[in-house]
Amino acid sequence: MKHVILGAGPAGVIAAETIRKHAPDDTIVLVGDEPEAPYSRMAIPYLLMGNIDESGTHLRHAGDHYARQRIELRRGRAVKLDTAGRKVQLDDGDWVGFDRLLIATGSSPASPPIPGIAGPGVHACWTLADARAIASLAKPGAKVLQMGAGFIGCIIMEALAARGVDLSVVEMGDRMVPRMMGPTAGGMIKAWCEAKGVKVHTGARVDAIERDATQVMKVRLSTGAVLEADLVISATGVKPNIGFLEDSGVRCLLGVLTDEHLQTSVPGIYAAGDCAEAFDKISGKTIVSAIQPNAADQARVAALNMVGRPAELKGVTQINVLDTLGLISASFGLWEGVAGGEHVELTDRAKGRHLCLQFGGDRLVGCNAIGWTEHVGVMRGLVEGQVSLGPWKDRLLADPTLLMEAYLARAQAQAGHALVKA
């Protein structure tokens, strides 16, 4: 059996290793489109902070790891998939045949159509090559403007601040991390960043990036402000790398649509990671949730099914825990709430704490939190476990700080009831 894995990020590597563990005699080809050893993009901010060197970003540190695992590493990018012929074409023109295929091509930065964005001094923070370019420009005191203050943007922002730059952040939304936090929480994160010396422009967009003869950039905002910059970072979101699947017969929505086995609409072809769209039991719909824990879970499930060991994905995790210049925030599940649901908020700005719980029926369906680090595990357990709260729902509406007590009372009771039924 020949397994071809497109994408050498965490999903691809975990899938390859899982296949090798359960199918010691099968052929495995791992295709990556960068000249580097397989690495984690999530480690790049720590590289920019100086906490690790480039080898610290590598997913596996032994130089002969893939050779010992008999995993063939091949450089290339998929440009066309022939599902009937069971082969994929790479950008060098070569066709690679397969018996089983895993699409783990990840995502790429979405570049907004801004005049001047393609010129020198503008970088995404996505690859090791990006990191090298940023490190050469982001010197102490350099004027750096970052477009985007979402989850990834805030992680990049922390790395830039650690380098001692003069940092400005521009976010189109009315608050920071608008896809993760409600107005109160997003506003608190903005206030925290400004107190740390970061200039934050919310409700603004970059209209143009202009350069003078010395290549110093002038960045024009929709608010009329003009900011000088030695470096511009584009962190305005990502999009799944699925363009090569056009006319292939593999069904795609936002990402590659998969079933509970991570199989696509074409038998024998699977998808995992940032490019995969999987079912989320909390929202009741398919979503692309581009976080590394999901990539790892999906890769293992897909790989097991690829070698004939039936496995199902238990669900997609909608969890984001963020450290923004020392302020810990978290978002779980349907944090914006559901139609007909109830919610409760508790805010103590002086102590930097905020808690918002969203209910659907007698279940906690989502939450936002700032400063409640001791309750992160409990929040996740209640949301993902779809725990029936019974009378504890009203108690939480009256006092949302009783999360731990509610979890101990109801989650354990639910688990015990399940054991009795079994």
Side-chain angles (χ1 to χ4, degrees):
M1 183 79 72
K2 182 178 181 180
H3 306 272
V4 172
I5 299 170
L6 302 177
V13 169
I14 289 170
E17 292 171 344
T18 304
I19 291 170
R20 175 55 67 228
K21 178 180 178 181
H22 295 284
D25 298 322
D26 285 4
T27 299
I28 304 171
V29 180
L30 181 63
V31 181
D33 64 356
E34 293 186 51
E36 326 287 351
Y39 67 93
S40 171
R41 301 197 193 284
M42 295 305 296
I44 289 176
Y46 303 101
L47 172 65
L48 289 172
M49 290 179 194
N51 294 343
I52 58 174
D53 59 17
E54 285 197 11
S55 66
T57 68
H58 293 172
L59 291 168
R60 302 295 179 260
H61 298 294
D64 62 347
H65 173 79
Y66 301 97
R68 285 189 291 105
Q69 291 277 312
R70 289 178 291 113
I71 297 169
E72 179 188 344
L73 287 179
R74 176 160 181 174
R75 185 179 179 188
R77 179 175 53 84
V79 295
K80 187 177 180 62
L81 175 61
D82 178 355
T83 54
R86 312 297 281 183
K87 59 185 179 180
V88 60
Q89 187 179 31
L90 303 183
D91 55 353
D92 62 1
D94 195 15
W95 287 90
V96 181
F98 61 84
D99 297 302
R100 297 286 184 271
L101 178 71
L102 177 65
I103 302 167
T105 46
S107 54
S108 295
S111 183
I114 297 170
I117 197 170
V122 181
H123 298 277
C125 187
W126 198 245
T127 66
L128 283 177
D130 291 331
R132 295 175 193 125
I134 291 168
S136 70
L137 296 170
K139 303 297 186 183
K143 291 183 173 63
V144 179
L145 183 141
Q146 178 177 301
M147 297 187 296
F151 180 78
I152 294 173
C154 283
I155 296 172
I156 298 168
M157 179 186 68
E158 181 149 22
L160 293 170
R163 296 182 68 85
V165 303
D166 180 359
L167 181 59
S168 298
V169 175
V170 179
E171 166 58 46
M172 289 180 63
D174 63 353
R175 59 192 182 273
M176 295 187 72
V177 279
R179 294 181 181 85
M180 169 180 162
M181 290 290 170
T184 300
M188 290 175 68
I189 295 172
K190 176 182 177 180
W192 175 271
C193 292
E194 290 177 329
K196 296 288 184 177
V198 179
K199 294 174 281 295
V200 182
H201 303 259
T202 52
R205 68 177 184 272
V206 173
D207 280 347
I209 301 171
E210 301 169 352
R211 296 167 180 82
D212 61 19
T214 64
Q215 293 301 303
V216 171
M217 289 174 280
K218 292 187 183 298
V219 182
R220 298 189 178 277
L221 305 187
S222 58
T223 59
V226 179
L227 308 178
E228 284 194 356
D230 302 302
L231 167 66
V232 173
I233 303 292
S234 179
T236 54
V238 297
K239 55 184 179 181
N241 294 322
I242 58 176
F244 72 99
L245 296 173
E246 188 175 357
D247 300 324
S248 69
V250 172
R251 188 182 178 198
C252 299
L253 297 177
L254 292 177
V256 183
L257 194 63
T258 63
D259 63 14
E260 66 273 21
H261 306 292
L262 276 304
Q263 188 167 232
T264 71
S265 58
V266 178
I269 298 179
Y270 298 78
D274 291 9
C275 66
E277 186 167 346
F279 184 73
D280 169 40
K281 62 185 179 181
I282 306 299
S283 65
K285 59 184 180 181
T286 56
I287 64 170
V288 176
S289 184
I291 58 174
Q292 196 158 311
N294 280 332
D297 290 345
Q298 292 171 2
R300 291 188 185 96
V301 171
L304 288 170
N305 285 293
M306 289 169 74
V307 297
R309 291 176 172 258
E312 292 187 6
L313 187 69
K314 300 303 181 185
V316 179
T317 296
Q318 288 197 69
I319 168 177
N320 288 298
V321 179
L322 183 63
D323 181 346
T324 309
L325 305 178
L327 183 67
I328 308 299
S329 58
S331 176
F332 299 88
L334 303 174
W335 58 269
E336 292 180 288
V338 294
E342 297 176 84
H343 78 281
V344 59
E345 288 194 29
L346 179 67
T347 305
D348 186 339
R349 295 182 184 275
K351 293 183 178 180
R353 288 165 73 88
H354 169 75
L355 185 61
C356 177
L357 306 182
Q358 298 283 354
F359 299 92
D362 76 336
R363 288 175 168 82
L364 184 68
V365 296
C367 52
N368 270 174
I370 292 178
W372 291 85
T373 54
E374 68 273 25
H375 288 80
V376 167
V378 168
M379 294 176 200
R380 180 177 182 179
L382 288 171
V383 172
E384 292 193 349
Q386 297 182 291
V387 176
S388 175
L389 292 167
W392 277 94
K393 174 193 170 183
D394 288 334
R395 296 181 193 179
L396 287 172
L397 284 169
D399 184 357
T401 67
L402 296 177
L403 280 166
M404 181 65 75
E405 291 85 346
Y407 180 81
L408 293 174
R410 299 302 297 178
Q412 290 185 352
Q414 183 168 298
H417 180 66
L419 287 173
V420 170
K421 288 180 67 177

mmCIF file with all atom_site columns, all heavy atoms in Angstrom, residues 246-262:
data_model
loop_
_atom_site.group_PDB
_atom_site.id
_atom_site.type_symbol
_atom_site.label_atom_id
_atom_site.label_alt_id
_atom_site.label_comp_id
_atom_site.label_asym_id
_atom_site.label_entity_id
_atom_site.label_seq_id
_atom_site.pdbx_PDB_ins_code
_atom_site.Cartn_x
_atom_site.Cartn_y
_atom_site.Cartn_z
_atom_site.occupancy
_atom_site.B_iso_or_equiv
_atom_site.pdbx_formal_charge
_atom_site.auth_seq_id
_atom_site.auth_comp_id
_atom_site.auth_asym_id
_atom_site.auth_atom_id
_atom_site.pdbx_PDB_model_num
ATOM 1   N N   . GLU A 1 246 ? -9.682  21.920 -7.539  1.00 0.00 ? 246 GLU A N   1
ATOM 2   C CA  . GLU A 1 246 ? -10.723 22.325 -8.467  1.00 0.00 ? 246 GLU A CA  1
ATOM 3   C C   . GLU A 1 246 ? -10.912 21.271 -9.561  1.00 0.00 ? 246 GLU A C   1
ATOM 4   O O   . GLU A 1 246 ? -9.936  20.776 -10.140 1.00 0.00 ? 246 GLU A O   1
ATOM 5   C CB  . GLU A 1 246 ? -10.377 23.671 -9.104  1.00 0.00 ? 246 GLU A CB  1
ATOM 6   C CG  . GLU A 1 246 ? -11.478 24.259 -9.941  1.00 0.00 ? 246 GLU A CG  1
ATOM 7   C CD  . GLU A 1 246 ? -11.148 25.653 -10.449 1.00 0.00 ? 246 GLU A CD  1
ATOM 8   O OE1 . GLU A 1 246 ? -10.071 26.185 -10.094 1.00 0.00 ? 246 GLU A OE1 1
ATOM 9   O OE2 . GLU A 1 246 ? -11.975 26.202 -11.204 1.00 0.00 ? 246 GLU A OE2 1
ATOM 10  N N   . ASP A 1 247 ? -12.150 20.881 -9.816  1.00 0.00 ? 247 ASP A N   1
ATOM 11  C CA  . ASP A 1 247 ? -12.515 19.883 -10.836 1.00 0.00 ? 247 ASP A CA  1
ATOM 12  C C   . ASP A 1 247 ? -11.985 18.483 -10.521 1.00 0.00 ? 247 ASP A C   1
ATOM 13  O O   . ASP A 1 247 ? -11.964 17.615 -11.400 1.00 0.00 ? 247 ASP A O   1
ATOM 14  C CB  . ASP A 1 247 ? -12.004 20.304 -12.229 1.00 0.00 ? 247 ASP A CB  1
ATOM 15  C CG  . ASP A 1 247 ? -12.583 21.630 -12.686 1.00 0.00 ? 247 ASP A CG  1
ATOM 16  O OD1 . ASP A 1 247 ? -13.757 21.893 -12.378 1.00 0.00 ? 247 ASP A OD1 1
ATOM 17  O OD2 . ASP A 1 247 ? -11.857 22.406 -13.338 1.00 0.00 ? 247 ASP A OD2 1
ATOM 18  N N   . SER A 1 248 ? -11.587 18.245 -9.272  1.00 0.00 ? 248 SER A N   1
ATOM 19  C CA  . SER A 1 248 ? -11.060 16.923 -8.912  1.00 0.00 ? 248 SER A CA  1
ATOM 20  C C   . SER A 1 248 ? -12.146 15.956 -8.477  1.00 0.00 ? 248 SER A C   1
ATOM 21  O O   . SER A 1 248 ? -11.923 14.745 -8.424  1.00 0.00 ? 248 SER A O   1
ATOM 22  C CB  . SER A 1 248 ? -10.040 17.065 -7.774  1.00 0.00 ? 248 SER A CB  1
ATOM 23  O OG  . SER A 1 248 ? -10.692 17.451 -6.566  1.00 0.00 ? 248 SER A OG  1
ATOM 24  N N   . GLY A 1 249 ? -13.312 16.482 -8.106  1.00 0.00 ? 249 GLY A N   1
ATOM 25  C CA  . GLY A 1 249 ? -14.353 15.633 -7.549  1.00 0.00 ? 249 GLY A CA  1
ATOM 26  C C   . GLY A 1 249 ? -14.332 15.582 -6.041  1.00 0.00 ? 249 GLY A C   1
ATOM 27  O O   . GLY A 1 249 ? -15.265 15.055 -5.414  1.00 0.00 ? 249 GLY A O   1
ATOM 28  N N   . VAL A 1 250 ? -13.288 16.116 -5.423  1.00 0.00 ? 250 VAL A N   1
ATOM 29  C CA  . VAL A 1 250 ? -13.226 16.214 -3.964  1.00 0.00 ? 250 VAL A CA  1
ATOM 30  C C   . VAL A 1 250 ? -14.055 17.428 -3.547  1.00 0.00 ? 250 VAL A C   1
ATOM 31  O O   . VAL A 1 250 ? -13.744 18.563 -3.939  1.00 0.00 ? 250 VAL A O   1
ATOM 32  C CB  . VAL A 1 250 ? -11.773 16.351 -3.465  1.00 0.00 ? 250 VAL A CB  1
ATOM 33  C CG1 . VAL A 1 250 ? -11.742 16.637 -1.970  1.00 0.00 ? 250 VAL A CG1 1
ATOM 34  C CG2 . VAL A 1 250 ? -10.988 15.092 -3.793  1.00 0.00 ? 250 VAL A CG2 1
ATOM 35  N N   . ARG A 1 251 ? -15.086 17.214 -2.757  1.00 0.00 ? 251 ARG A N   1
ATOM 36  C CA  . ARG A 1 251 ? -16.001 18.302 -2.415  1.00 0.00 ? 251 ARG A CA  1
ATOM 37  C C   . ARG A 1 251 ? -15.366 19.231 -1.392  1.00 0.00 ? 251 ARG A C   1
ATOM 38  O O   . ARG A 1 251 ? -14.835 18.783 -0.367  1.00 0.00 ? 251 ARG A O   1
ATOM 39  C CB  . ARG A 1 251 ? -17.313 17.742 -1.867  1.00 0.00 ? 251 ARG A CB  1
ATOM 40  C CG  . ARG A 1 251 ? -18.379 18.812 -1.685  1.00 0.00 ? 251 ARG A CG  1
ATOM 41  C CD  . ARG A 1 251 ? -19.649 18.248 -1.108  1.00 0.00 ? 251 ARG A CD  1
ATOM 42  N NE  . ARG A 1 251 ? -20.631 19.308 -0.893  1.00 0.00 ? 251 ARG A NE  1
ATOM 43  C CZ  . ARG A 1 251 ? -21.681 19.200 -0.104  1.00 0.00 ? 251 ARG A CZ  1
ATOM 44  N NH1 . ARG A 1 251 ? -21.906 18.066 0.543   1.00 0.00 ? 251 ARG A NH1 1
ATOM 45  N NH2 . ARG A 1 251 ? -22.518 20.211 0.043   1.00 0.00 ? 251 ARG A NH2 1
ATOM 46  N N   . CYS A 1 252 ? -15.452 20.538 -1.665  1.00 0.00 ? 252 CYS A N   1
ATOM 47  C CA  . CYS A 1 252 ? -14.920 21.558 -0.769  1.00 0.00 ? 252 CYS A CA  1
ATOM 48  C C   . CYS A 1 252 ? -15.989 22.604 -0.488  1.00 0.00 ? 252 CYS A C   1
ATOM 49  O O   . CYS A 1 252 ? -16.762 22.971 -1.389  1.00 0.00 ? 252 CYS A O   1
ATOM 50  C CB  . CYS A 1 252 ? -13.699 22.245 -1.377  1.00 0.00 ? 252 CYS A CB  1
ATOM 51  S SG  . CYS A 1 252 ? -12.302 21.150 -1.710  1.00 0.00 ? 252 CYS A SG  1
ATOM 52  N N   . LEU A 1 253 ? -16.047 23.080 0.729   1.00 0.00 ? 253 LEU A N   1
ATOM 53  C CA  . LEU A 1 253 ? -16.840 24.244 1.096   1.00 0.00 ? 253 LEU A CA  1
ATOM 54  C C   . LEU A 1 253 ? -15.849 25.329 1.469   1.00 0.00 ? 253 LEU A C   1
ATOM 55  O O   . LEU A 1 253 ? -15.143 25.834 0.621   1.00 0.00 ? 253 LEU A O   1
ATOM 56  C CB  . LEU A 1 253 ? -17.817 23.887 2.224   1.00 0.00 ? 253 LEU A CB  1
ATOM 57  C CG  . LEU A 1 253 ? -18.867 22.813 1.848   1.00 0.00 ? 253 LEU A CG  1
ATOM 58  C CD1 . LEU A 1 253 ? -19.738 22.477 3.048   1.00 0.00 ? 253 LEU A CD1 1
ATOM 59  C CD2 . LEU A 1 253 ? -19.720 23.280 0.689   1.00 0.00 ? 253 LEU A CD2 1
ATOM 60  N N   . LEU A 1 254 ? -15.728 25.656 2.759   1.00 0.00 ? 254 LEU A N   1
ATOM 61  C CA  . LEU A 1 254 ? -14.632 26.545 3.163   1.00 0.00 ? 254 LEU A CA  1
ATOM 62  C C   . LEU A 1 254 ? -13.301 25.803 3.099   1.00 0.00 ? 254 LEU A C   1
ATOM 63  O O   . LEU A 1 254 ? -12.263 26.357 2.763   1.00 0.00 ? 254 LEU A O   1
ATOM 64  C CB  . LEU A 1 254 ? -14.878 27.076 4.571   1.00 0.00 ? 254 LEU A CB  1
ATOM 65  C CG  . LEU A 1 254 ? -16.059 28.041 4.734   1.00 0.00 ? 254 LEU A CG  1
ATOM 66  C CD1 . LEU A 1 254 ? -16.227 28.428 6.187   1.00 0.00 ? 254 LEU A CD1 1
ATOM 67  C CD2 . LEU A 1 254 ? -15.861 29.282 3.863   1.00 0.00 ? 254 LEU A CD2 1
ATOM 68  N N   . GLY A 1 255 ? -13.338 24.530 3.479   1.00 0.00 ? 255 GLY A N   1
ATOM 69  C CA  . GLY A 1 255 ? -12.180 23.657 3.397   1.00 0.00 ? 255 GLY A CA  1
ATOM 70  C C   . GLY A 1 255 ? -12.584 22.368 2.709   1.00 0.00 ? 255 GLY A C   1
ATOM 71  O O   . GLY A 1 255 ? -13.642 22.288 2.078   1.00 0.00 ? 255 GLY A O   1
ATOM 72  N N   . VAL A 1 256 ? -11.756 21.341 2.839   1.00 0.00 ? 256 VAL A N   1
ATOM 73  C CA  . VAL A 1 256 ? -12.067 20.033 2.262   1.00 0.00 ? 256 VAL A CA  1
ATOM 74  C C   . VAL A 1 256 ? -13.074 19.346 3.184   1.00 0.00 ? 256 VAL A C   1
ATOM 75  O O   . VAL A 1 256 ? -12.775 19.061 4.343   1.00 0.00 ? 256 VAL A O   1
ATOM 76  C CB  . VAL A 1 256 ? -10.806 19.168 2.125   1.00 0.00 ? 256 VAL A CB  1
ATOM 77  C CG1 . VAL A 1 256 ? -11.153 17.840 1.456   1.00 0.00 ? 256 VAL A CG1 1
ATOM 78  C CG2 . VAL A 1 256 ? -9.741  19.897 1.315   1.00 0.00 ? 256 VAL A CG2 1
ATOM 79  N N   . LEU A 1 257 ? -14.255 19.077 2.667   1.00 0.00 ? 257 LEU A N   1
ATOM 80  C CA  . LEU A 1 257 ? -15.314 18.501 3.485   1.00 0.00 ? 257 LEU A CA  1
ATOM 81  C C   . LEU A 1 257 ? -14.994 17.045 3.816   1.00 0.00 ? 257 LEU A C   1
ATOM 82  O O   . LEU A 1 257 ? -14.660 16.250 2.933   1.00 0.00 ? 257 LEU A O   1
ATOM 83  C CB  . LEU A 1 257 ? -16.644 18.590 2.749   1.00 0.00 ? 257 LEU A CB  1
ATOM 84  C CG  . LEU A 1 257 ? -17.899 18.336 3.578   1.00 0.00 ? 257 LEU A CG  1
ATOM 85  C CD1 . LEU A 1 257 ? -18.053 19.386 4.673   1.00 0.00 ? 257 LEU A CD1 1
ATOM 86  C CD2 . LEU A 1 257 ? -19.131 18.329 2.677   1.00 0.00 ? 257 LEU A CD2 1
ATOM 87  N N   . THR A 1 258 ? -15.092 16.684 5.097   1.00 0.00 ? 258 THR A N   1
ATOM 88  C CA  . THR A 1 258 ? -14.776 15.327 5.538   1.00 0.00 ? 258 THR A CA  1
ATOM 89  C C   . THR A 1 258 ? -15.914 14.747 6.361   1.00 0.00 ? 258 THR A C   1
ATOM 90  O O   . THR A 1 258 ? -16.750 15.475 6.899   1.00 0.00 ? 258 THR A O   1
ATOM 91  C CB  . THR A 1 258 ? -13.494 15.316 6.403   1.00 0.00 ? 258 THR A CB  1
ATOM 92  O OG1 . THR A 1 258 ? -13.720 16.094 7.595   1.00 0.00 ? 258 THR A OG1 1
ATOM 93  C CG2 . THR A 1 258 ? -12.308 15.878 5.651   1.00 0.00 ? 258 THR A CG2 1
ATOM 94  N N   . ASP A 1 259 ? -15.908 13.410 6.481   1.00 0.00 ? 259 ASP A N   1
ATOM 95  C CA  . ASP A 1 259 ? -16.865 12.744 7.354   1.00 0.00 ? 259 ASP A CA  1
ATOM 96  C C   . ASP A 1 259 ? -16.208 12.466 8.699   1.00 0.00 ? 259 ASP A C   1
ATOM 97  O O   . ASP A 1 259 ? -15.105 12.963 8.988   1.00 0.00 ? 259 ASP A O   1
ATOM 98  C CB  . ASP A 1 259 ? -17.415 11.476 6.701   1.00 0.00 ? 259 ASP A CB  1
ATOM 99  C CG  . ASP A 1 259 ? -16.341 10.417 6.445   1.00 0.00 ? 259 ASP A CG  1
ATOM 100 O OD1 . ASP A 1 259 ? -15.226 10.535 6.992   1.00 0.00 ? 259 ASP A OD1 1
ATOM 101 O OD2 . ASP A 1 259 ? -16.628 9.461  5.695   1.00 0.00 ? 259 ASP A OD2 1
ATOM 102 N N   . GLU A 1 260 ? -16.861 11.652 9.532   1.00 0.00 ? 260 GLU A N   1
ATOM 103 C CA  . GLU A 1 260 ? -16.325 11.399 10.876  1.00 0.00 ? 260 GLU A CA  1
ATOM 104 C C   . GLU A 1 260 ? -15.026 10.601 10.848  1.00 0.00 ? 260 GLU A C   1
ATOM 105 O O   . GLU A 1 260 ? -14.307 10.520 11.846  1.00 0.00 ? 260 GLU A O   1
ATOM 106 C CB  . GLU A 1 260 ? -17.369 10.675 11.731  1.00 0.00 ? 260 GLU A CB  1
ATOM 107 C CG  . GLU A 1 260 ? -17.722 9.270  11.285  1.00 0.00 ? 260 GLU A CG  1
ATOM 108 C CD  . GLU A 1 260 ? -18.837 9.227  10.243  1.00 0.00 ? 260 GLU A CD  1
ATOM 109 O OE1 . GLU A 1 260 ? -19.071 10.252 9.564   1.00 0.00 ? 260 GLU A OE1 1
ATOM 110 O OE2 . GLU A 1 260 ? -19.476 8.157  10.124  1.00 0.00 ? 260 GLU A OE2 1
ATOM 111 N N   . HIS A 1 261 ? -14.711 9.971  9.694   1.00 0.00 ? 261 HIS A N   1
ATOM 112 C CA  . HIS A 1 261 ? -13.454 9.231  9.545   1.00 0.00 ? 261 HIS A CA  1
ATOM 113 C C   . HIS A 1 261 ? -12.370 10.099 8.899   1.00 0.00 ? 261 HIS A C   1
ATOM 114 O O   . HIS A 1 261 ? -11.296 9.596  8.608   1.00 0.00 ? 261 HIS A O   1
ATOM 115 C CB  . HIS A 1 261 ? -13.688 7.979  8.710   1.00 0.00 ? 261 HIS A CB  1
ATOM 116 C CG  . HIS A 1 261 ? -14.789 7.102  9.217   1.00 0.00 ? 261 HIS A CG  1
ATOM 117 N ND1 . HIS A 1 261 ? -14.706 6.404  10.402  1.00 0.00 ? 261 HIS A ND1 1
ATOM 118 C CD2 . HIS A 1 261 ? -16.021 6.833  8.712   1.00 0.00 ? 261 HIS A CD2 1
ATOM 119 C CE1 . HIS A 1 261 ? -15.826 5.735  10.608  1.00 0.00 ? 261 HIS A CE1 1
ATOM 120 N NE2 . HIS A 1 261 ? -16.642 5.977  9.597   1.00 0.00 ? 261 HIS A NE2 1
ATOM 121 N N   . LEU A 1 262 ? -12.671 11.349 8.622   1.00 0.00 ? 262 LEU A N   1
ATOM 122 C CA  . LEU A 1 262 ? -11.814 12.300 7.914   1.00 0.00 ? 262 LEU A CA  1
ATOM 123 C C   . LEU A 1 262 ? -11.652 11.933 6.440   1.00 0.00 ? 262 LEU A C   1
ATOM 124 O O   . LEU A 1 262 ? -10.747 12.440 5.764   1.00 0.00 ? 262 LEU A O   1
ATOM 125 C CB  . LEU A 1 262 ? -10.434 12.452 8.581   1.00 0.00 ? 262 LEU A CB  1
ATOM 126 C CG  . LEU A 1 262 ? -10.362 13.437 9.749   1.00 0.00 ? 262 LEU A CG  1
ATOM 127 C CD1 . LEU A 1 262 ? -10.844 14.825 9.356   1.00 0.00 ? 262 LEU A CD1 1
ATOM 128 C CD2 . LEU A 1 262 ? -11.099 12.939 10.954  1.00 0.00 ? 262 LEU A CD2 1
#
